[in-house]
Amino acid sequence: MMVSFAGTGGNNRCVTDNYVFPATYWADPSDGCRPIPLVGIADADGDGVDDADDQFPNDPNLAYETFYPADKNTFGTLAFEDMWPYMGDYDFNDLVVDYRLAVRANAQNKVQNAQMKFYVRAVGAEMTHGFGVEFNGIAPNTITSVTGYVLTDGIVSLSANGTESGQSNAVIIPFDNVENVINRTGGYFYNTQSGSNPGISDTVVIDIAFTGSLSTANFLAMDFNPFLIRNQVRGMEIHLPDLPPTNLANQSVLGTSSDDSGAGRYYKTSNNLPWALNIPAHFDYPKEQVDILDAYEDFAEWAQSAGQLAPDWYLEGSNGRVDVNIY
Ligand SMILES: [Ca+2]
Ligand SMILES: [Ca+2]
Ligand SMILES: [Ca+2]
């Protein structure tokens, strides 16, 4: 087949692209344009996405799945220091939660559902903490239901769809009391002191159904904003650096003491050190009451450069890693 444009004179030219010729055969240009029948391009569920590209080839309502962290077999790590706005012992093991997020969309790339898995690795705390997640930039009314949360102590109020009420962004509280999620083997601190038997956590599986109005791109553009709820005081939130508190945080605590919070600046010391870490990989946290600066000597350089320097600060084999101080 040839497409030809012929004309004489003048300066006008056209640009054309993306021709589609409906046909019974396609041609193989490496073989003299030999005609080849259109077989073997199957779409078993008829959703318009070929089986080869359809991650749910037998489900017409789903076609694509995206993971965070990007490797579907990897859990990320959230590690919290609970003494904000004070530095405390700075051991970053007061609550350590492994997480994985999966987002599933249909053939039109509209989010249908998401699943979050959480596993508590450490509770090196004298207080009883809860844990929440805000999807910054995603309205609560894009969600139809949330299941799997472990809420027992009456400090959280939910809307009919299972998100927290009184919030302008979607907020989900996986658990309000970490003691309901972990299984202790004795001892005061949980999985932060060497010599004690390690405890095993339940895996909290949160399933979220969406209305279908949200595109995958919009979902992935949100800020994943996890936070610790300290000692079951709902207004006492501790977030990742530079991520804002939710509508229900006690705003009067911001900007006090060593925390330098102001417009757009949240949960960082005057030296730019954080109270929470989000590492999209496995992270070996410090032992009880060991300052993270003594467990990972490159930590301050990494944090104070906003991640530009010493990006490998936590990896096995990195120079600044002091194994004797790591659980
Ligand atoms: Ca399909
Ligand atoms: Ca499908
Ligand atoms: Ca601790």
Side-chain angles (χ1 to χ4, degrees), residues 89 91 93-94 124-125 288-289:
D89 59 12
D91 62 6
N93 62 23
D94 302 337
E288 192 57 53
Q289 292 181 338

Side-chain angles (χ1 to χ4, degrees), residues 43 45 47 49 51 54:
D43 177 12
D45 58 11
D47 64 0
V49 178
D51 287 356
D54 192 336

Side-chain angles (χ1 to χ4, degrees), residues 243-299:
L243 283 169
T246 76
N247 294 151
L248 298 188
N250 179 353
Q251 303 285 330
S252 69
V253 191
L254 292 166
T256 60
S257 189
S258 62
D259 178 48
D260 234 351
S261 296
R265 181 187 169 87
Y266 297 107
Y267 302 100
K268 294 198 291 194
T269 68
S270 53
N271 290 335
N272 291 327
L273 294 176
W275 277 268
L277 297 172
N278 176 9
I279 296 169
H282 185 85
F283 169 60
D284 297 321
Y285 51 83
K287 286 179 181 170
E288 192 57 53
Q289 292 181 338
V290 174
D291 190 322
I292 196 170
L293 300 169
D294 295 325
Y296 293 96
E297 293 174 337
D298 295 338
F299 176 79

Side-chain angles (χ1 to χ4, degrees), residues 145-159:
S145 69
V146 179
T147 60
Y149 45 77
V150 183
L151 301 177
T152 60
D153 290 13
I155 62 167
V156 174
S157 299
L158 300 181
S159 300

Side-chain angles (χ1 to χ4, degrees), residues 77-98:
T77 309
L78 301 165
F80 293 92
E81 173 59 46
D82 65 8
M83 286 303 287
W84 177 82
Y86 306 101
M87 294 279 284
D89 59 12
Y90 214 55
D91 62 6
F92 271 94
N93 62 23
D94 302 337
L95 180 66
V96 179
V97 181
D98 285 0

